[in-house]
Amino acid sequence: MSTPKPRSFSSPRPVVLWTAFWRAVQPLRPACSRTSTFLWLVIVLAAFCLRPDLAGVTSMVRGLGLSDPSYYSLLHFFHTPALNLEVLTRLWQQTLQRLFRRRLVRVNGRAVVLVDGLKRPKEGKKMPGVKSLHQESRCNAKASFIMGHSLQAVAVLAQAAGVCLAVPVAARIHEGVVWSNRHRRTLLDKPGALVGGLPWEQPVTVVADAYYAAAKFVRALLRQGHHLVTRVRSNAVAFHLPPPRRPGRRGRRRLYGDKIRLRDWFRYKSLFARAASPVYGESGVSLRYASCDLLWRPLGQLVRFVWVVHPSRGRLVLLSTDLNLPPLEIIRLYGWRFKIEVSFKQAIHTVGAYAYHFWMQDMKPIRRGDGSQHPHRESEGYRQGLRRKLAAYERHIQIGLVAQGLLQYLAVTFRRAVWFNFHSYIRTASTQKSPTEWVVSHALRHAWPRFLRDSSESLILKKFLANKITPSRCGFADILGLDKAA
């Protein structure tokens, strides 16, 4: 009897990744007013995934072997209104709900959404929105004050092969420019509007840190039917329900009962139960917890508080506006919050979503230590220039987040194809687990020439790239029919 031949992997695996990439970006076409704008969008997304370094637009030119004039075309692309940023954000949110539909983490039927802030250092003296920012950190290597952009981001939580990841949806610059003295929107109004402006299929559960435990943000979510799970500060207070009103008593009915400082609850050890830690990544750890529904004055309604005593993380008090969530589920939800921090790290160091360097030539230079800019006394042309530059920053950020989400989609959906095309070495690599964005980026870099050569879906890209490539700079000039000696 003949022995079976080993399975051959010659094939379509190099093409599979880029074919899936190409099909995943097709729903973003309505955000572009012209076909050429959409093709530039695809090229920029590919450049985010392929470039070997994070030196702004220059690295995109190097990563794809583009010609010198393409540098200025890319600058124009990030500044052009032909790419509608708001439409792109909504389409991407709908696309990732479709791509990750079976992998989205849901609690009581609601998708889990993570919200957090991010501060990125920028030293440009002619960059709108750059201001002095205070950053709290226990690391001595970080300065207490930096000049940079303050952003707030939204991500959805997905889970595959036992790994949780925060898939970025959107991020916006929410500080740095005050357009009018009558402006009253705060940093807590803007993330609520960002979350509420996205076309969610159904209400979601938002998980955020203690900064977002404020009435403005919570009310904005509740108006949309969403709920919030967060941590409250150690000096927070709450109230019991008021006692029943005695018959015949005059005056207004009491709205609140007895006040209690939340940290004092830790004294009542008999109220705490012990359970295995539901926090992601912890095993063999037990914690103590207690729960009670109390009135929270900033919101004026009942919320669920959960007191947690963790053996290594210490004490904390959690809050949930959803009274149907069990205490251990609230603890598990808040344990996922740090996943957005991991997403920030990948966006900064792997994708380079925040590595933009666009200057405004006519801008009045800022000085170190300056606060927000107030251009309401400037000319209309000057204000339009500021808006145009800020829009370019946010397009760069949003497209970078789309590229990061596509890398995560390929990692969890085409795990074997990614490892097959990796062609490199990582000591801790495990082909049974979903690869990181960095691994997917390397796999795409090796599969890019094969996709251009063998896939029928790349014909329009090859035609579009043919007159934008410098043959001596790229390794696939022959695939495009170009002479390297030219």
Side-chain angles (χ1 to χ4, degrees):
M1 185 175 67
S2 61
T3 59
K5 295 182 179 180
R7 184 178 177 182
S8 173
F9 295 103
S10 62
S11 63
R13 291 200 176 186
V15 179
V16 163
L17 294 177
W18 280 107
T19 301
F21 181 98
W22 173 256
R23 293 175 181 175
V25 301
Q26 292 302 310
L28 307 181
R29 173 63 180 87
C32 306
S33 60
R34 295 183 291 272
T35 302
S36 60
T37 306
F38 174 68
L39 292 175
W40 272 117
L41 174 62
V42 177
I43 293 302
V44 170
L45 287 171
F48 269 111
C49 300
L50 294 174
R51 60 182 181 174
D53 56 79
L54 306 178
V57 173
T58 305
S59 61
M60 297 182 183
V61 175
R62 286 197 296 268
L64 294 178
L66 301 178
S67 60
D68 293 354
S70 297
Y71 173 83
Y72 300 98
S73 299
L74 287 171
L75 288 182
H76 174 73
F77 169 77
F78 286 111
H79 290 78
T80 180
L83 176 61
N84 191 308
L85 178 62
E86 299 306 320
V87 175
L88 175 65
T89 305
R90 291 196 297 269
L91 291 174
W92 168 239
Q93 191 267 339
Q94 294 170 347
T95 300
L96 69 85
Q97 281 192 314
R98 177 177 55 83
L99 297 177
F100 292 90
R101 180 174 297 277
R102 297 180 180 179
R103 297 178 174 88
L104 292 180
V105 176
R106 298 182 183 274
V107 176
N108 289 349
R110 298 170 178 263
V112 178
V113 175
L114 309 178
V115 176
D116 202 2
L118 173 68
K119 297 173 182 177
R120 292 303 302 148
K122 297 291 175 183
E123 294 292 340
K125 294 184 178 180
K126 293 190 174 184
M127 295 184 71
V130 171
K131 62 173 291 189
S132 178
L133 300 170
H134 175 65
Q135 56 178 7
E136 298 179 1
S137 176
R138 297 179 182 178
C139 177
N140 294 331
K142 289 188 176 181
S144 299
F145 288 89
I146 61 170
M147 297 296 292
H149 280 150
S150 174
L151 307 101
Q152 297 187 88
V154 178
V156 295
L157 194 67
Q159 190 169 23
V163 176
C164 286
L165 60 154
V167 185
V169 180
R172 295 289 185 269
I173 300 173
H174 281 165
E175 273 191 277
V177 180
V178 179
W179 299 103
S180 172
N181 286 338
R182 301 184 183 91
H183 189 72
R184 293 293 180 266
R185 293 181 66 198
T186 67
L187 281 177
L188 291 169
D189 294 314
K190 295 174 182 179
L194 180 59
V195 174
L198 295 171
W200 305 105
E201 295 179 350
Q202 56 188 2
V204 299
T205 298
V206 177
V207 181
D209 63 7
Y211 175 78
Y212 296 93
K216 281 190 173 183
F217 182 69
V218 180
R219 286 172 182 165
L221 295 180
L222 293 179
R223 282 195 295 268
Q224 301 281 338
H226 308 311
H227 281 289
L228 175 68
V229 171
T230 183
R231 179 176 64 86
V232 295
R233 301 183 187 276
S234 59
N235 61 351
V237 299
F239 297 82
H240 291 285
L241 288 171
R245 186 174 181 176
R246 288 181 293 181
R249 181 158 184 173
R250 300 177 62 183
R252 192 185 69 169
R253 181 178 61 85
R254 289 183 63 182
L255 299 179
Y256 299 95
D258 296 334
K259 182 170 73 172
I260 179 173
R261 291 187 300 178
L262 295 179
R263 63 186 176 190
D264 291 345
W265 203 276
F266 290 107
R267 300 176 183 174
Y268 312 132
K269 296 182 179 180
S270 61
L271 300 178
F272 283 74
R274 185 173 293 276
S277 174
V279 177
Y280 171 79
E282 289 189 345
S283 60
V285 177
S286 63
L287 50 78
R288 294 187 298 116
Y289 72 95
S291 174
C292 186
D293 296 344
L294 299 172
L295 289 171
W296 191 43
R297 176 166 279 180
L299 201 58
Q301 68 180 48
L302 280 174
V303 297
R304 176 157 292 177
F305 290 99
V306 179
W307 291 262
V308 185
V309 180
H310 194 278
S312 60
R313 303 175 189 269
R315 299 175 175 181
L316 73 159
V317 184
L318 304 180
L319 177 152
S320 171
T321 59
D322 187 356
L323 302 181
N324 295 320
L325 281 179
L328 289 177
E329 192 70 18
I330 295 173
I331 298 172
R332 184 170 72 99
L333 275 173
Y334 191 76
W336 278 327
R337 194 203 67 81
F338 82 98
K339 282 299 177 180
I340 196 171
E341 305 286 352
V342 179
S343 178
F344 288 158
K345 182 178 179 181
Q346 296 291 344
I348 294 169
H349 299 292
T350 301
V351 182
Y354 303 97
Y356 47 85
H357 308 284
F358 305 142
W359 320 107
M360 180 177 168
Q361 184 175 3
D362 299 330
M363 178 181 164
K364 296 179 181 179
I366 59 177
R367 295 175 298 180
R368 188 165 190 86
D370 283 354
S372 297
Q373 301 152 31
H374 296 260
H376 56 279
R377 293 185 178 179
E378 305 294 341
S379 66
E380 181 61 28
Y382 186 86
R383 293 196 297 270
Q384 289 297 335
L386 291 180
R387 292 189 179 96
R388 178 174 177 268
K389 197 61 61 174
L390 286 170
Y393 299 155
E394 292 184 341
R395 285 192 189 94
H396 188 284
I397 294 168
Q398 185 61 46
I399 296 173
L401 297 184
V402 172
Q404 182 184 359
L406 291 172
L407 292 176
Q408 293 172 328
Y409 163 66
L410 296 176
V412 301
T413 309
F414 301 94
R415 172 177 54 85
R416 293 183 179 180
V418 170
W419 286 115
F420 180 83
N421 290 279
F422 180 48
H423 302 316
S424 189
Y425 170 76
I426 297 181
R427 183 181 63 83
T428 57
S430 174
T431 57
Q432 303 303 317
K433 296 181 180 180
S434 296
T436 63
E437 290 93 328
W438 183 83
V439 173
V440 180
S441 177
H442 273 255
L444 289 175
R445 198 174 301 161
H446 290 108
W448 176 247
R450 180 76 175 270
F451 169 70
L452 292 178
R453 184 184 65 191
D454 296 343
S455 177
S456 60
E457 297 186 2
S458 67
L459 293 177
I460 187 171
L461 280 179
K462 287 194 290 187
K463 183 177 179 181
F464 187 73
L465 283 171
N467 61 346
K468 299 175 177 60
I469 291 290
T470 298
S472 60
R473 293 179 184 169
C474 70
F476 51 88
D478 54 334
I479 297 175
L480 302 177
L482 303 176
D483 185 6
K484 288 190 176 183

